[in-house]
Amino acid sequence: MKNLPNSSQQVDLIRCLDAKDVWMTDSRTGARLTRSVGRASLLLFWLVAFIVIPEGVLAAEKTDPTLVPSIFTPESAPAHAISHLAGFVLVVTGAIFVVVAGLLLYAVVRFRRRAYDDGTEPPQVYGSGPVETAWTTVPFLIVIVLTLATARVIQEVQDARKPVAALDVQVIGHQWWWEIRYPKLGIVTANELHVPVSQAGTRLPTFLDLRSADVVHSFWVPRLAGKTDLIPNKVNSMWIEPERTGLFVGQCAKYCGTQHAKMLLRVYADTPEDFDRWVAEQKKLAENNPDVAAGRLVFERTACINCHAINGTVGDGRFGPDLTHLMSRNTLASGALTNSPEGLRTWIKSPDKLKPGVLMPAMNLNDSDLDKLVAYLTTLK
């Protein structure tokens, strides 16, 4: 029969076990701390990746900062309202985070296990009227304040009064381009929206009716307003009021198919005088140049007329963009390429190579007819 340990040996054994338990507990705490630090590091990495790195890339490429579609640089009344609300919510929630994290850190440091602890459980306190009242009342008041602030901004943006001089525009989303109509002006264009800028105390906001011809899209120009969906069989509305002239870039913000990423949008904010000149040009009939009559004949005798319209011709299609003043636009295929004779030729010849899945078919024209068609289209200014 083996000898059993005496009482002193048993005490030493218990002490060893207690030390082992303490070591295991400290190891678990260290592991948790390591995981927490790892998560914080990962969060910091993504913040750097999404904020710092893009800024560095833009600086390296010498990109015009005014063309960057940023939510942090609002330049329209609705965008300012949304930005101010977001800043207010961030301050409130940031203060909550600081208080909660501070109290948690204080408790962790102040009541951590110490080397001389005897291992006894501290006194347990159950229930505290003042504390429970505080952690019920304070969050309730915070929610009320945030709700009222949000409701005020929603009312300010969605129920804004429409001035008599406001511009009315219909925007219709297609896969994957934007149809833009000015009902009161009799103008139809595509992918590039022109609006006037308010000047000399005269407000000239633009009110948009948003519709969809197929699937759900989302109209979003970050510097001018928040996102608004275009839903089939439903009309949504929004308004913008740029504070300066220039170009504002946006795009569809709702996945709408394979070429969603190439459904870009350009908003040109013009002075009232420049906008009036643009309107006068857009109201003119299409150029009828006898030198490119052969190209016009190609347009009228092929499937082009089934989808596209050109004022003054037999083409009155509505499935594709209106081409009456095609060359007055700076881009083709909803921003997929620059509008130039070379780009136009490439697009007509092989649209699917530039936007796979696009609904426009390749026309399969021979080189002679293609050259004639491009020569005709480039006169439509």
Side-chain angles (χ1 to χ4, degrees):
M1 183 174 181
K2 297 181 179 179
N3 294 327
L4 297 175
N6 57 35
S7 58
S8 62
Q9 291 174 327
Q10 290 177 352
V11 171
D12 291 339
L13 179 61
I14 292 173
R15 286 176 178 172
C16 291
L17 292 173
D18 289 344
K20 182 178 180 182
D21 290 342
V22 171
W23 176 83
M24 292 177 65
T25 302
D26 290 343
S27 298
R28 295 191 194 99
T29 304
R32 294 191 189 98
L33 181 59
T34 301
R35 287 195 295 270
S36 299
V37 172
R39 294 191 186 101
S41 301
L42 183 62
L43 176 60
L44 181 61
F45 167 78
W46 285 115
L47 286 174
V48 171
F50 283 109
I51 297 177
V52 177
I53 293 178
E55 293 294 332
V57 171
L58 291 172
E61 294 182 354
K62 298 181 179 179
T63 302
D64 185 351
T66 63
L67 297 181
V68 179
S70 172
I71 61 174
F72 301 107
T73 50
E75 297 189 72
S76 177
H80 276 297
I82 296 171
S83 179
H84 292 159
L85 175 63
F88 174 69
V89 173
L90 184 62
V91 169
V92 172
T93 54
I96 295 172
F97 172 79
V98 170
V99 171
V100 173
L103 292 174
L104 181 60
L105 182 62
Y106 170 79
V108 170
V109 175
R110 173 70 176 79
F111 301 105
R112 69 186 184 279
R113 181 187 291 273
R114 303 178 187 275
Y116 52 80
D117 285 348
D118 58 7
T120 59
E121 187 178 24
Q124 302 298 300
V125 178
Y126 297 96
S128 172
V131 172
E132 293 176 359
T133 301
W135 73 36
T136 301
T137 304
V138 173
F140 176 76
L141 294 177
I142 291 173
V143 171
I144 292 297
V145 170
L146 293 179
T147 300
L148 292 176
T150 303
R152 182 185 64 82
V153 172
I154 291 176
Q155 190 275 334
E156 178 184 341
V157 173
Q158 293 190 352
D159 297 332
R161 291 185 178 181
K162 183 177 179 180
V164 177
L167 177 67
D168 291 317
V169 179
Q170 289 182 359
V171 179
I172 305 172
H174 299 260
Q175 289 182 311
W176 291 271
W177 61 283
W178 305 91
E179 180 180 357
I180 300 173
R181 293 177 169 271
Y182 298 76
K184 295 180 180 179
L185 302 176
I187 295 173
V188 180
T189 185
N191 303 320
E192 298 183 4
L193 172 64
H194 284 256
V195 301
V197 172
S198 301
Q199 285 188 344
T202 303
R203 291 191 58 208
L204 296 172
T206 299
F207 282 72
L208 307 173
D209 282 345
L210 306 177
R211 310 158 188 254
S212 173
D214 36 51
V215 300
V216 177
H217 302 278
S218 186
F219 185 99
W220 189 34
V221 184
R223 289 175 179 259
L224 300 183
K227 304 175 185 177
T228 304
D229 287 350
L230 292 75
I231 302 173
N233 302 317
K234 178 178 174 60
V235 178
N236 284 335
S237 61
M238 62 178 294
W239 61 284
I240 57 176
E241 190 174 1
E243 299 172 343
R244 63 169 177 85
T245 59
L247 171 62
F248 299 89
V249 181
Q251 71 175 85
C252 177
K254 182 85 68 177
Y255 181 74
C256 54
T258 56
Q259 291 304 311
H260 157 72
K262 290 185 178 179
M263 189 173 172
L264 306 180
L265 175 68
R266 299 165 75 89
V267 178
Y268 291 91
D270 304 323
T271 63
E273 296 77 18
D274 288 340
F275 179 74
D276 290 340
R277 280 192 289 270
W278 178 82
V279 169
E281 291 294 326
Q282 294 294 310
K283 286 185 174 182
K284 293 180 180 178
L285 293 177
E287 185 73 23
N288 187 12
N289 189 337
D291 295 337
V292 291
R296 173 173 173 171
L297 195 60
V298 173
F299 173 80
E300 294 177 339
R301 290 184 175 180
T302 59
C304 298
I305 61 174
N306 294 332
C307 297
H308 298 284
I310 297 179
N311 289 344
T313 72
V314 296
D316 60 352
R318 288 291 178 262
F319 293 104
D322 189 292
L323 304 180
T324 303
H325 298 287
L326 170 65
M327 300 310 292
S328 67
R329 305 167 200 158
N330 291 312
T331 61
L332 293 170
S334 194
L337 69 164
T338 303
N339 191 1
S340 65
E342 296 76 16
L344 190 56
R345 193 179 198 282
T346 302
W347 174 248
I348 296 172
K349 186 175 182 179
S350 303
D352 198 61
K353 288 185 179 180
L354 296 171
K355 294 180 75 169
V358 69
L359 301 181
M360 176 176 170
M363 299 309 298
N364 297 318
L365 298 174
N366 58 52
D367 289 341
S368 176
D369 285 346
L370 182 57
D371 291 339
K372 294 175 183 177
L373 180 59
V374 171
Y376 167 63
L377 293 179
T378 54
T379 66
L380 304 178
K381 300 179 181 179

